[in-house]
Amino acid sequence: MAFASVYPLVTARALAREFTYEVPDGVGPGAVVEVRFGNARRRGVVTEIGIPPPEGVEAAPVERVVEELPPALVELALWVASYYGSTPGRALALVAPLKRKARGERPRPAERDSLPGEAAPAALSESQHAALERIVRAIDAGVGSNVLLYGATGSGKTEVYLQACAAALERGLGAIVLVPEIALTPQTVGRFTARFGERIAILHSALSEAERRDERERIASGEARIVVGARSAVFAPVAGLGVICVDEEHDPSYKQESDPRYDARTVAAKRASLERAVAVFGSATPRPESWGRLERLELGGRLAGPLPPVRIVDLRREAGYPLSAPLLAELGAIAERGGKAILLLNRRGVAPALHCRACGLTLRCANCDVALVLHRDATMRCHHCGHAEPEPQTCAVCGSAELARLGAGTQRLEHELEARLPELERIRLDADAVEKPGALAAALSRFAAADRAVLVGTQMVAKGHHFSGVALAAVVDADTGLGLPDFRAEERTFQLLTQLAGRSGRDAPGRVLVQTFQPDARAIALAANHDVTRFLTGELERRRELGYPPFRHLVRIVVAGPDPDGPLQALTEVRAGLPDDDVLGPAPLLRLRGRYRAQLVAKTDHPRRIATQAGRLLSAAAPAMRRAGLTAVVDVDPQSL
């Protein structure tokens, strides 16, 4: 028997430390064990063997060994805890999720959730071949490296991922392919399944717990050597990792919004370093951080021909909204001649707000400081906490019946299309439309098989889909993100417009139409010209002057509580214990889910130092914060402020 350090998989910050247990011979770092912890049984992860027991304490034996984790994954999880100011227990739970009992035979998720794949091309382009050669040399070097694969939509990035994964398999290594959202999984899984068959496993949050268990077992056993999934798949137990491909690397969905608030792109780079693998970050619209830091492998333009022309429609000169006369004309041409259209409107519901013309009241959520969104079933819903109430007929304050619907959402757009162009089949793709299992793949399959069809949706429709016959891609309101108080607002708008433009005309002449009230805005004008290089050059110059990423890091600490003063007071105390970096705040934030919030934001060259110290301070204050009903998170490199 030996003594070992074990991190119990508990979330409490006050217990964020190792405990000593007695373990059987043969147990090493990475073992997941069941231990007695207080009055309960808990799982824990062994991190060190052969330590002396603490004086005066009789170490308890572990109850049993549950499974073994690759040591590199344990090291990765402990780094995540430190870098993101979280706790080891929370981070280790990412690599050691609770195992559910098997419940009989089930079809593999890849069989249910994939769209048909495509045949391999007869040959690669020169730029594809050069990029693949560079990636394979990096795999063979075995030193760990990161590269940016940059090329226009349709330039063949996915084929480079596929052949890089094939090269890894030939060398007895595994691969992970990350996509930013579940919306991209069916097409990506179809492409990889067509090439690699049953060697594919998929991991994402829409799987049942039993399905995730089955897939993880196939991965851990070596049956599945290529994993396709959303951000959590970066922690898949792939042994002998050779390559990690991060598709659409610009997408903010790679950031986890619960503690630990890891960024799967940063974690992918760290895992590649730990396992001497290659991380390939691919995008047609890379982040400024990647553009400025990484070795660039350029694929150039679209393989099937030039990118489609973009027409800007100035909504200040148009009477129709959300369907302007030029957009109706383009859709009418599809109804007459055939083809498909994709319409992007990055808001759900019928209207984003209901406003009283008499007294000026905007209906707001009772739990959050945000407007309620009107949906087609005559309910007002909060998209933050889920609160719902019937649509009122009169104003609750003044009794007026003059309630105006402000703006438009995807449900209203769908209704307008039904009224104006009933001959077009309408398929909606947003969070409301794909709540049920299988609904996403069914919607994408319908669109792939349809003619004279319109895919209406939020940003989901702009992300990586490749459908034949798309003659028109249109942005219904390009201004929705430009007015946000966030230094990434222009970057996000540029990326969204450029990505959507890439959905049109992949196999035939296509058109792109962008409706906006701000036609001269830099992000919109440069996106209309597909000018990625000029946009990123200007964005990097602006960020250098302001001290924003990639030139400095941001660390955000958010505290929430039952009253307005508690979070501000707690953050004032945290700020006093932080190093003398450029710290802003504390400042109050919008109330969400009935909780008052406040934040500190640090601009720093040493994010891990700030986050680790913040984590220590919050752990020390955890008992007092718990009594006061306060919760806290540390967010390194936040994607929104």
Side-chain angles (χ1 to χ4, degrees), residues 582-604:
D582 188 2
V583 182
L584 308 174
L589 296 171
L590 291 174
R591 182 171 60 103
L592 287 181
R593 302 175 184 88
R595 306 271 289 171
Y596 293 89
R597 303 180 305 144
Q599 72 174 7
L600 280 177
V601 178
K603 288 184 179 180
T604 178

Side-chain angles (χ1 to χ4, degrees), residues 207-221:
L207 300 182
S208 69
E209 290 186 350
E211 286 173 332
R212 280 197 291 273
R213 170 200 176 278
D214 291 349
E215 293 295 87
R216 285 182 62 85
E217 286 203 346
R218 294 180 62 240
I219 298 163
S221 69

Side-chain angles (χ1 to χ4, degrees), residues 137-161:
R137 285 201 307 272
I139 293 173
D140 290 336
V143 295
S145 56
N146 306 312
V147 296
L148 173 64
L149 184 65
Y150 163 62
T153 53
S155 61
K157 293 184 289 295
T158 301
E159 185 60 34
V160 175
Y161 303 149

Side-chain angles (χ1 to χ4, degrees), residues 175-349:
I176 295 173
V177 180
L178 299 181
V179 294
E181 286 196 19
I182 298 167
L184 294 184
T185 307
Q187 272 201 332
T188 306
V189 171
R191 292 172 182 174
F192 278 80
T193 300
R195 201 73 59 90
F196 301 110
E198 294 188 356
R199 289 177 291 179
I200 297 294
I202 66 174
L203 288 176
H204 56 67
S205 60
L207 300 182
S208 69
E209 290 186 350
E211 286 173 332
R212 280 197 291 273
R213 170 200 176 278
D214 291 349
E215 293 295 87
R216 285 182 62 85
E217 286 203 346
R218 294 180 62 240
I219 298 163
S221 69
E223 178 186 343
R225 296 294 287 146
I226 299 175
V227 180
V228 178
R231 58 179 174 262
S232 62
V234 75
F235 299 108
V238 178
L241 188 62
V243 64
I244 305 175
C245 300
V246 184
D247 192 27
E248 309 289 359
E249 70 88 30
H250 62 276
D251 198 290
S253 300
Y254 282 119
K255 190 71 160 68
Q256 174 77 4
E257 291 303 318
S258 59
D259 195 353
R261 294 196 171 194
Y262 67 88
D263 189 316
R265 297 162 294 198
T266 306
V267 176
K270 181 64 176 179
R271 185 167 183 185
S273 173
L274 289 173
E275 302 202 39
R276 299 181 178 181
V278 182
V280 181
F281 300 88
S283 178
T285 54
R287 294 179 297 160
E289 293 94 322
S290 302
W291 189 264
R293 288 177 177 170
L294 298 182
E295 176 187 352
R296 203 178 305 158
L297 310 179
E298 298 200 16
L299 296 184
R302 177 177 281 183
L303 292 174
L307 288 163
V310 178
R311 178 183 177 185
I312 300 292
V313 175
D314 188 346
L315 289 175
R316 296 172 300 180
R317 296 180 170 87
E318 294 289 334
Y321 182 87
L323 296 174
S324 67
L327 180 52
L328 280 171
E330 292 283 6
L331 291 168
I334 288 175
E336 181 180 338
R337 297 193 293 265
K340 300 186 181 87
I342 298 177
L343 303 189
L344 166 69
L345 178 56
N346 208 17
R347 288 188 297 238
R348 289 184 282 154

Side-chain angles (χ1 to χ4, degrees), residues 24-40:
D25 293 336
V27 171
V32 181
V33 295
E34 192 174 272
V35 298
R36 295 291 302 181
F37 191 72
N39 296 322

Side-chain angles (χ1 to χ4, degrees), residues 193-546:
T193 300
R195 201 73 59 90
F196 301 110
E198 294 188 356
R199 289 177 291 179
I200 297 294
I202 66 174
L203 288 176
H204 56 67
S205 60
L207 300 182
S208 69
E209 290 186 350
E211 286 173 332
R212 280 197 291 273
R213 170 200 176 278
D214 291 349
E215 293 295 87
R216 285 182 62 85
E217 286 203 346
R218 294 180 62 240
I219 298 163
S221 69
E223 178 186 343
R225 296 294 287 146
I226 299 175
V227 180
V228 178
R231 58 179 174 262
S232 62
V234 75
F235 299 108
V238 178
L241 188 62
V243 64
I244 305 175
C245 300
V246 184
D247 192 27
E248 309 289 359
E249 70 88 30
H250 62 276
D251 198 290
S253 300
Y254 282 119
K255 190 71 160 68
Q256 174 77 4
E257 291 303 318
S258 59
D259 195 353
R261 294 196 171 194
Y262 67 88
D263 189 316
R265 297 162 294 198
T266 306
V267 176
K270 181 64 176 179
R271 185 167 183 185
S273 173
L274 289 173
E275 302 202 39
R276 299 181 178 181
V278 182
V280 181
F281 300 88
S283 178
T285 54
R287 294 179 297 160
E289 293 94 322
S290 302
W291 189 264
R293 288 177 177 170
L294 298 182
E295 176 187 352
R296 203 178 305 158
L297 310 179
E298 298 200 16
L299 296 184
R302 177 177 281 183
L303 292 174
L307 288 163
V310 178
R311 178 183 177 185
I312 300 292
V313 175
D314 188 346
L315 289 175
R316 296 172 300 180
R317 296 180 170 87
E318 294 289 334
Y321 182 87
L323 296 174
S324 67
L327 180 52
L328 280 171
E330 292 283 6
L331 291 168
I334 288 175
E336 181 180 338
R337 297 193 293 265
K340 300 186 181 87
I342 298 177
L343 303 189
L344 166 69
L345 178 56
N346 208 17
R347 288 188 297 238
R348 289 184 282 154
V350 172
L354 207 59
H355 179 76
C356 176
R357 293 186 187 276
C359 71
L361 175 76
T362 297
L363 272 70
R364 306 184 81 81
C365 176
N367 306 314
C368 310
D369 291 330
V370 297
L372 290 170
V373 177
L374 176 63
H375 283 246
R376 198 170 180 179
D377 58 0
T379 59
M380 306 292 296
R381 298 181 190 172
C382 176
H383 288 173
H384 291 277
C385 72
H387 169 77
E389 58 188 64
E391 178 187 5
Q393 300 305 307
T394 58
C395 176
V397 173
C398 71
S400 170
E402 293 188 54
L403 297 179
R405 298 177 176 184
L406 301 181
T410 49
Q411 289 183 355
R412 177 183 166 190
L413 181 58
E414 185 182 29
H415 181 69
E416 295 265 348
L417 286 167
E418 183 180 10
R420 305 291 291 272
L421 294 156
E423 60 270 42
L424 291 177
E425 181 181 357
R426 297 161 305 282
I427 302 165
R428 182 159 53 88
L429 192 64
D430 59 24
D432 298 319
V434 297
E435 286 180 330
K436 295 180 181 178
L440 171 64
L444 295 177
S445 295
R446 276 179 61 203
F447 186 65
D451 185 36
R452 293 176 171 82
V454 182
L455 184 65
V456 175
T458 55
Q459 58 184 340
M460 284 185 183
V461 303
K463 295 183 176 183
H465 303 298
H466 178 191
F467 294 106
S468 62
V470 176
L472 173 68
V475 181
V476 175
D477 188 341
D479 308 316
T480 54
L482 274 179
L484 297 176
D486 193 310
F487 74 93
R488 287 191 173 91
E490 286 195 355
E491 174 194 348
R492 295 273 166 75
T493 298
F494 177 83
Q495 289 167 345
L496 201 57
L497 300 189
T498 306
Q499 289 288 332
L500 184 75
R503 304 309 124 211
S504 172
R506 288 197 168 206
D507 51 5
R511 302 174 302 283
V512 179
L513 190 146
V514 176
Q515 298 187 157
T516 175
F517 289 98
Q518 305 175 65
D520 298 323
R522 185 175 73 104
I524 292 173
L526 292 177
N529 291 322
H530 307 290
D531 198 340
V532 175
T533 300
R534 188 174 168 193
F535 176 80
L536 288 172
T537 300
E539 190 68 8
L540 284 169
E541 290 174 358
R542 184 177 71 90
R543 292 193 186 184
R544 182 183 286 107
E545 293 174 2
L546 297 173

Side-chain angles (χ1 to χ4, degrees), residues 6-19 37 78 81 85-92 615-616 618-620 622:
V6 177
Y7 271 115
L9 300 185
V10 295
T11 59
R13 283 192 178 272
L15 300 173
R17 62 184 180 87
E18 295 168 301
F19 292 81
F37 191 72
L78 295 177
S86 185
T87 68
R90 294 174 185 177
L92 286 163
R616 290 195 193 103
L618 293 171
S619 294

